[in-house]
Short mmCIF file of all heavy atoms in Angstrom, two decimals:
data_model
loop_
_atom_site.label_atom_id
_atom_site.label_comp_id
_atom_site.label_asym_id
_atom_site.label_seq_id
_atom_site.Cartn_x
_atom_site.Cartn_y
_atom_site.Cartn_z
N ASP A 33 -48.77 18.63 -28.33
CA ASP A 33 -47.37 18.41 -28.62
C ASP A 33 -46.90 19.66 -29.33
O ASP A 33 -47.38 19.99 -30.38
CB ASP A 33 -47.19 17.16 -29.46
CG ASP A 33 -45.75 16.74 -29.56
OD1 ASP A 33 -44.89 17.62 -29.71
OD2 ASP A 33 -45.46 15.54 -29.54
N ASN A 34 -45.78 20.31 -28.80
CA ASN A 34 -45.30 21.53 -29.41
C ASN A 34 -44.32 21.26 -30.58
O ASN A 34 -43.90 22.21 -31.23
CB ASN A 34 -44.56 22.37 -28.32
CG ASN A 34 -45.50 22.81 -27.23
OD1 ASN A 34 -46.63 23.23 -27.56
ND2 ASN A 34 -45.05 22.76 -26.00
N GLY A 35 -44.02 19.96 -30.85
CA GLY A 35 -43.13 19.63 -31.95
C GLY A 35 -41.68 19.82 -31.64
O GLY A 35 -40.84 19.68 -32.53
N ASP A 36 -41.30 20.20 -30.45
CA ASP A 36 -39.95 20.37 -30.05
C ASP A 36 -39.56 19.49 -28.87
O ASP A 36 -38.73 19.87 -28.02
CB ASP A 36 -39.66 21.86 -29.74
CG ASP A 36 -40.47 22.36 -28.60
OD1 ASP A 36 -41.30 21.63 -28.03
OD2 ASP A 36 -40.27 23.53 -28.21
N ASN A 37 -40.23 18.36 -28.74
CA ASN A 37 -40.07 17.44 -27.62
C ASN A 37 -40.67 17.97 -26.30
O ASN A 37 -40.33 17.47 -25.23
CB ASN A 37 -38.63 17.06 -27.43
CG ASN A 37 -38.43 15.67 -26.82
OD1 ASN A 37 -39.29 14.74 -27.09
ND2 ASN A 37 -37.51 15.45 -25.95
N SER A 38 -41.54 18.96 -26.45
CA SER A 38 -42.21 19.49 -25.23
C SER A 38 -43.69 19.43 -25.47
O SER A 38 -44.20 19.40 -26.60
CB SER A 38 -41.79 20.93 -24.86
OG SER A 38 -42.30 21.84 -25.75
N ILE A 39 -44.47 19.34 -24.37
CA ILE A 39 -45.95 19.35 -24.43
C ILE A 39 -46.46 20.43 -23.52
O ILE A 39 -45.93 20.63 -22.40
CB ILE A 39 -46.43 17.95 -24.03
CG1 ILE A 39 -46.03 16.91 -24.97
CG2 ILE A 39 -47.99 17.97 -23.75
CD1 ILE A 39 -46.38 15.50 -24.61
N THR A 40 -47.48 21.15 -23.97
CA THR A 40 -48.11 22.18 -23.19
C THR A 40 -49.55 21.76 -22.99
O THR A 40 -50.26 21.46 -23.93
CB THR A 40 -48.10 23.51 -23.83
OG1 THR A 40 -46.74 23.92 -24.02
CG2 THR A 40 -48.79 24.61 -23.05
N CYS A 41 -50.02 21.81 -21.71
CA CYS A 41 -51.39 21.52 -21.29
C CYS A 41 -52.00 22.80 -20.83
O CYS A 41 -51.35 23.58 -20.06
CB CYS A 41 -51.48 20.47 -20.23
SG CYS A 41 -50.79 18.91 -20.73
N GLN A 42 -53.22 23.08 -21.28
CA GLN A 42 -53.99 24.25 -20.77
C GLN A 42 -55.20 23.68 -20.04
O GLN A 42 -55.85 22.73 -20.46
CB GLN A 42 -54.47 25.07 -21.97
CG GLN A 42 -53.35 25.69 -22.69
CD GLN A 42 -53.83 26.52 -23.94
OE1 GLN A 42 -54.82 26.15 -24.55
NE2 GLN A 42 -53.18 27.60 -24.22
N GLY A 43 -55.50 24.26 -18.85
CA GLY A 43 -56.58 23.78 -18.05
C GLY A 43 -57.55 24.85 -17.61
O GLY A 43 -57.22 26.04 -17.75
N GLY A 44 -58.61 24.47 -17.00
CA GLY A 44 -59.57 25.39 -16.48
C GLY A 44 -60.75 24.61 -15.93
O GLY A 44 -60.70 23.32 -15.82
N PHE A 45 -61.82 25.36 -15.63
CA PHE A 45 -63.00 24.68 -15.13
C PHE A 45 -64.22 25.24 -15.91
O PHE A 45 -64.17 26.34 -16.45
CB PHE A 45 -63.18 25.03 -13.64
CG PHE A 45 -62.08 24.38 -12.79
CD1 PHE A 45 -60.89 25.08 -12.54
CD2 PHE A 45 -62.23 23.09 -12.34
CE1 PHE A 45 -59.88 24.51 -11.74
CE2 PHE A 45 -61.25 22.52 -11.63
CZ PHE A 45 -60.07 23.24 -11.31
N SER A 46 -65.24 24.46 -15.97
CA SER A 46 -66.38 24.76 -16.83
C SER A 46 -67.09 26.07 -16.35
O SER A 46 -67.85 26.63 -17.17
CB SER A 46 -67.39 23.59 -16.79
OG SER A 46 -67.87 23.26 -15.49
N ASP A 47 -66.89 26.45 -15.13
CA ASP A 47 -67.51 27.70 -14.68
C ASP A 47 -66.63 28.91 -15.01
O ASP A 47 -66.95 30.05 -14.61
CB ASP A 47 -67.82 27.69 -13.18
CG ASP A 47 -66.60 27.57 -12.30
OD1 ASP A 47 -65.47 27.52 -12.83
OD2 ASP A 47 -66.77 27.59 -11.07
N GLY A 48 -65.55 28.70 -15.74
CA GLY A 48 -64.61 29.82 -16.17
C GLY A 48 -63.55 30.09 -15.19
O GLY A 48 -62.70 30.96 -15.51
N SER A 49 -63.47 29.42 -14.08
CA SER A 49 -62.37 29.73 -13.08
C SER A 49 -61.06 29.15 -13.61
O SER A 49 -60.98 28.17 -14.36
CB SER A 49 -62.74 29.17 -11.72
OG SER A 49 -62.98 27.83 -11.71
N SER A 50 -60.01 29.80 -13.13
CA SER A 50 -58.64 29.43 -13.53
C SER A 50 -58.19 28.09 -12.95
O SER A 50 -58.64 27.70 -11.90
CB SER A 50 -57.72 30.59 -13.04
OG SER A 50 -56.34 30.22 -13.16
N ALA A 51 -57.21 27.52 -13.60
CA ALA A 51 -56.58 26.31 -13.11
C ALA A 51 -55.15 26.62 -12.57
O ALA A 51 -54.42 25.72 -12.30
CB ALA A 51 -56.51 25.24 -14.15
N GLY A 52 -54.83 27.89 -12.44
CA GLY A 52 -53.54 28.31 -11.88
C GLY A 52 -53.38 27.63 -10.53
O GLY A 52 -54.18 27.69 -9.67
N GLY A 53 -52.22 26.97 -10.38
CA GLY A 53 -51.86 26.26 -9.12
C GLY A 53 -52.32 24.87 -9.04
O GLY A 53 -51.88 24.15 -8.09
N VAL A 54 -53.04 24.39 -10.03
CA VAL A 54 -53.45 22.99 -10.05
C VAL A 54 -52.21 22.07 -10.19
O VAL A 54 -51.36 22.33 -11.02
CB VAL A 54 -54.52 22.69 -11.12
CG1 VAL A 54 -54.75 21.19 -11.32
CG2 VAL A 54 -55.81 23.38 -10.76
N ILE A 55 -52.12 21.01 -9.46
CA ILE A 55 -51.01 20.09 -9.52
C ILE A 55 -51.05 19.29 -10.76
O ILE A 55 -52.18 18.71 -11.09
CB ILE A 55 -50.95 19.20 -8.24
CG1 ILE A 55 -50.71 20.02 -6.97
CG2 ILE A 55 -49.89 18.09 -8.45
CD1 ILE A 55 -50.82 19.33 -5.66
N MET A 56 -49.96 19.17 -11.42
CA MET A 56 -49.80 18.30 -12.63
C MET A 56 -48.75 17.27 -12.43
O MET A 56 -47.71 17.57 -11.87
CB MET A 56 -49.46 19.22 -13.81
CG MET A 56 -50.38 20.30 -14.15
SD MET A 56 -51.91 19.63 -14.84
CE MET A 56 -51.41 18.94 -16.40
N ARG A 57 -49.06 16.02 -12.82
CA ARG A 57 -48.12 14.97 -12.66
C ARG A 57 -47.96 14.19 -14.02
O ARG A 57 -48.97 14.00 -14.66
CB ARG A 57 -48.55 13.93 -11.57
CG ARG A 57 -48.48 14.48 -10.18
CD ARG A 57 -48.79 13.41 -9.21
NE ARG A 57 -48.90 14.02 -7.90
CZ ARG A 57 -50.08 14.49 -7.38
NH1 ARG A 57 -51.21 14.35 -8.08
NH2 ARG A 57 -50.15 15.01 -6.19
N ILE A 58 -46.76 13.86 -14.35
CA ILE A 58 -46.50 13.06 -15.50
C ILE A 58 -46.06 11.73 -14.98
O ILE A 58 -45.10 11.63 -14.19
CB ILE A 58 -45.41 13.63 -16.40
CG1 ILE A 58 -45.66 15.14 -16.66
CG2 ILE A 58 -45.31 12.83 -17.69
CD1 ILE A 58 -47.03 15.50 -17.18
N LYS A 59 -46.81 10.61 -15.24
CA LYS A 59 -46.54 9.36 -14.72
C LYS A 59 -46.16 8.33 -15.83
O LYS A 59 -46.63 8.42 -16.99
CB LYS A 59 -47.81 8.77 -14.00
CG LYS A 59 -48.11 9.53 -12.76
CD LYS A 59 -49.29 8.86 -12.01
CE LYS A 59 -49.51 9.44 -10.66
NZ LYS A 59 -50.57 8.77 -9.93
N SER A 60 -45.32 7.42 -15.43
CA SER A 60 -44.91 6.32 -16.39
C SER A 60 -46.06 5.30 -16.39
O SER A 60 -47.00 5.30 -15.59
CB SER A 60 -43.61 5.66 -15.91
OG SER A 60 -43.80 5.04 -14.66
N SER A 61 -45.94 4.34 -17.31
CA SER A 61 -46.97 3.30 -17.45
C SER A 61 -47.08 2.42 -16.18
O SER A 61 -48.07 1.85 -15.97
CB SER A 61 -46.73 2.45 -18.69
OG SER A 61 -45.46 1.86 -18.60
N ASP A 62 -46.05 2.38 -15.43
CA ASP A 62 -46.06 1.57 -14.15
C ASP A 62 -46.45 2.48 -12.92
O ASP A 62 -46.38 1.96 -11.79
CB ASP A 62 -44.72 0.84 -13.92
CG ASP A 62 -43.57 1.77 -13.65
OD1 ASP A 62 -43.77 3.05 -13.67
OD2 ASP A 62 -42.43 1.25 -13.54
N GLY A 63 -46.83 3.71 -13.16
CA GLY A 63 -47.37 4.54 -12.07
C GLY A 63 -46.38 5.44 -11.35
O GLY A 63 -46.71 6.21 -10.52
N ARG A 64 -45.08 5.37 -11.77
CA ARG A 64 -44.09 6.18 -11.17
C ARG A 64 -44.25 7.62 -11.60
O ARG A 64 -44.54 7.89 -12.79
CB ARG A 64 -42.65 5.74 -11.55
CG ARG A 64 -42.21 4.45 -10.92
CD ARG A 64 -40.78 4.08 -11.28
NE ARG A 64 -40.73 3.80 -12.76
CZ ARG A 64 -39.96 4.49 -13.62
NH1 ARG A 64 -39.18 5.42 -13.16
NH2 ARG A 64 -40.01 4.17 -14.88
N VAL A 65 -44.05 8.62 -10.69
CA VAL A 65 -44.08 10.03 -11.05
C VAL A 65 -42.81 10.44 -11.75
O VAL A 65 -41.76 10.35 -11.09
CB VAL A 65 -44.40 10.86 -9.84
CG1 VAL A 65 -44.42 12.36 -10.18
CG2 VAL A 65 -45.76 10.51 -9.20
N LEU A 66 -42.87 10.80 -12.97
CA LEU A 66 -41.66 11.20 -13.74
C LEU A 66 -41.40 12.71 -13.58
O LEU A 66 -40.22 13.12 -13.51
CB LEU A 66 -41.85 10.85 -15.23
CG LEU A 66 -42.15 9.40 -15.54
CD1 LEU A 66 -42.43 9.23 -17.03
CD2 LEU A 66 -40.92 8.57 -15.15
N GLN A 67 -42.45 13.49 -13.54
CA GLN A 67 -42.36 14.94 -13.41
C GLN A 67 -43.60 15.38 -12.67
O GLN A 67 -44.62 14.84 -12.70
CB GLN A 67 -42.38 15.62 -14.79
CG GLN A 67 -41.21 15.26 -15.70
CD GLN A 67 -41.30 15.91 -17.06
OE1 GLN A 67 -41.44 17.08 -17.20
NE2 GLN A 67 -41.16 15.07 -18.12
N GLU A 68 -43.39 16.53 -11.94
CA GLU A 68 -44.55 17.13 -11.17
C GLU A 68 -44.30 18.61 -11.16
O GLU A 68 -43.22 19.11 -11.17
CB GLU A 68 -44.51 16.54 -9.77
CG GLU A 68 -45.72 17.01 -8.98
CD GLU A 68 -45.87 16.34 -7.62
OE1 GLU A 68 -46.47 15.20 -7.61
OE2 GLU A 68 -45.45 16.93 -6.64
N GLY A 69 -45.37 19.31 -11.26
CA GLY A 69 -45.40 20.79 -11.20
C GLY A 69 -46.84 21.30 -11.04
O GLY A 69 -47.70 20.55 -10.53
N GLN A 70 -46.97 22.58 -11.38
CA GLN A 70 -48.28 23.23 -11.24
C GLN A 70 -48.62 24.01 -12.44
O GLN A 70 -47.69 24.49 -13.14
CB GLN A 70 -48.27 24.19 -10.02
CG GLN A 70 -48.15 23.51 -8.67
CD GLN A 70 -48.21 24.51 -7.55
OE1 GLN A 70 -47.78 25.60 -7.66
NE2 GLN A 70 -48.82 24.06 -6.46
N MET A 71 -49.94 24.15 -12.73
CA MET A 71 -50.38 25.13 -13.77
C MET A 71 -49.90 26.44 -13.37
O MET A 71 -49.96 26.89 -12.16
CB MET A 71 -51.88 25.08 -13.92
CG MET A 71 -52.46 23.86 -14.49
SD MET A 71 -52.55 24.03 -16.28
CE MET A 71 -53.15 22.40 -16.76
N ASP A 72 -49.42 27.28 -14.31
CA ASP A 72 -49.05 28.69 -14.00
C ASP A 72 -50.23 29.59 -13.92
O ASP A 72 -51.41 29.17 -13.99
CB ASP A 72 -47.96 29.12 -15.02
CG ASP A 72 -48.49 29.26 -16.44
OD1 ASP A 72 -49.72 29.28 -16.68
OD2 ASP A 72 -47.69 29.35 -17.33
N ASN A 73 -49.99 30.91 -13.77
CA ASN A 73 -51.11 31.85 -13.74
C ASN A 73 -51.92 31.95 -14.92
O ASN A 73 -53.04 32.50 -14.91
CB ASN A 73 -50.52 33.19 -13.34
CG ASN A 73 -49.99 33.29 -11.89
OD1 ASN A 73 -50.41 32.48 -11.05
ND2 ASN A 73 -49.06 34.22 -11.66
N ASN A 74 -51.41 31.46 -16.09
CA ASN A 74 -52.17 31.41 -17.31
C ASN A 74 -52.88 30.06 -17.52
O ASN A 74 -53.40 29.80 -18.58
CB ASN A 74 -51.29 31.71 -18.51
CG ASN A 74 -50.68 33.08 -18.49
OD1 ASN A 74 -51.38 34.01 -18.14
ND2 ASN A 74 -49.44 33.19 -18.83
N SER A 75 -52.90 29.24 -16.47
CA SER A 75 -53.44 27.94 -16.50
C SER A 75 -52.82 27.02 -17.55
O SER A 75 -53.50 26.28 -18.21
CB SER A 75 -55.05 28.00 -16.73
OG SER A 75 -55.64 28.68 -15.71
N GLU A 76 -51.52 27.11 -17.61
CA GLU A 76 -50.68 26.32 -18.56
C GLU A 76 -49.64 25.52 -17.81
O GLU A 76 -49.11 26.06 -16.80
CB GLU A 76 -50.06 27.18 -19.65
CG GLU A 76 -51.07 27.75 -20.61
CD GLU A 76 -50.35 28.54 -21.72
OE1 GLU A 76 -49.16 28.79 -21.68
OE2 GLU A 76 -51.12 28.85 -22.69
N PHE A 77 -49.29 24.39 -18.31
CA PHE A 77 -48.13 23.62 -17.79
C PHE A 77 -47.43 22.98 -18.97
O PHE A 77 -48.01 22.30 -19.78
CB PHE A 77 -48.70 22.47 -16.91
CG PHE A 77 -47.65 21.55 -16.30
CD1 PHE A 77 -46.77 22.01 -15.37
CD2 PHE A 77 -47.57 20.32 -16.79
CE1 PHE A 77 -45.75 21.20 -14.83
CE2 PHE A 77 -46.57 19.42 -16.25
CZ PHE A 77 -45.69 19.90 -15.30
N THR A 78 -46.13 23.27 -19.09
CA THR A 78 -45.31 22.80 -20.19
C THR A 78 -44.22 21.84 -19.55
O THR A 78 -43.63 22.14 -18.50
CB THR A 78 -44.61 23.92 -20.95
OG1 THR A 78 -45.66 24.71 -21.51
CG2 THR A 78 -43.71 23.34 -22.07
N PHE A 79 -44.02 20.66 -20.25
CA PHE A 79 -43.10 19.70 -19.76
C PHE A 79 -42.37 19.05 -20.92
O PHE A 79 -42.90 19.07 -22.04
CB PHE A 79 -43.80 18.68 -18.81
CG PHE A 79 -44.82 17.89 -19.51
CD1 PHE A 79 -44.53 16.60 -20.05
CD2 PHE A 79 -46.11 18.33 -19.60
CE1 PHE A 79 -45.49 15.81 -20.68
CE2 PHE A 79 -47.13 17.60 -20.19
CZ PHE A 79 -46.80 16.28 -20.79
N MET A 80 -41.19 18.45 -20.63
CA MET A 80 -40.51 17.74 -21.67
C MET A 80 -41.15 16.36 -21.79
O MET A 80 -41.44 15.67 -20.85
CB MET A 80 -39.01 17.59 -21.29
CG MET A 80 -38.33 18.94 -21.22
SD MET A 80 -38.52 20.01 -22.70
CE MET A 80 -37.67 19.05 -23.92
N LYS A 81 -41.32 15.94 -23.05
CA LYS A 81 -41.98 14.71 -23.37
C LYS A 81 -41.10 13.50 -22.97
O LYS A 81 -39.97 13.43 -23.33
CB LYS A 81 -42.28 14.59 -24.86
CG LYS A 81 -43.08 13.47 -25.31
CD LYS A 81 -43.32 13.57 -26.79
CE LYS A 81 -44.06 12.44 -27.33
NZ LYS A 81 -44.37 12.63 -28.80
N PRO A 82 -41.62 12.64 -22.02
CA PRO A 82 -40.83 11.48 -21.63
C PRO A 82 -40.79 10.44 -22.72
O PRO A 82 -41.61 10.39 -23.59
CB PRO A 82 -41.53 10.96 -20.39
CG PRO A 82 -42.89 11.58 -20.38
CD PRO A 82 -42.86 12.73 -21.35
N ARG A 83 -39.83 9.52 -22.62
CA ARG A 83 -39.70 8.43 -23.56
C ARG A 83 -40.71 7.31 -23.10
O ARG A 83 -40.93 7.19 -21.89
CB ARG A 83 -38.27 7.81 -23.54
CG ARG A 83 -37.28 8.74 -24.07
CD ARG A 83 -35.92 8.16 -24.05
NE ARG A 83 -34.92 9.19 -24.33
CZ ARG A 83 -33.76 8.93 -24.86
NH1 ARG A 83 -33.38 7.69 -25.14
NH2 ARG A 83 -32.95 9.87 -25.14
N GLY A 84 -41.22 6.65 -24.06
CA GLY A 84 -42.17 5.54 -23.71
C GLY A 84 -43.58 6.14 -23.38
O GLY A 84 -43.91 7.25 -23.49
N ASP A 85 -44.38 5.18 -22.92
CA ASP A 85 -45.80 5.54 -22.53
C ASP A 85 -45.80 6.36 -21.30
O ASP A 85 -45.03 6.16 -20.33
CB ASP A 85 -46.62 4.26 -22.30
CG ASP A 85 -46.85 3.47 -23.60
OD1 ASP A 85 -46.85 4.09 -24.69
OD2 ASP A 85 -47.13 2.25 -23.46
#
Side-chain angles (χ1 to χ4, degrees):
D33 189 321
N34 296 319
D36 62 357
N37 208 35
S38 71
I39 294 175
T40 298
C41 297
Q42 296 177 325
F45 295 92
S46 60
D47 65 358
S49 56
S50 169
V54 168
I55 295 171
M56 298 291 294
R57 290 186 190 90
I58 311 308
K59 292 185 171 186
S60 65
S61 58
D62 64 2
R64 289 179 297 119
V65 176
L66 302 173
Q67 299 177 51
E68 185 172 277
Q70 293 182 325
M71 289 270 178
D72 65 16
N73 290 336
N74 295 319
S75 298
E76 293 184 346
F77 178 71
T78 300
F79 61 96
M80 296 309 292
K81 186 176 179 178
R83 294 180 191 206
D85 290 337

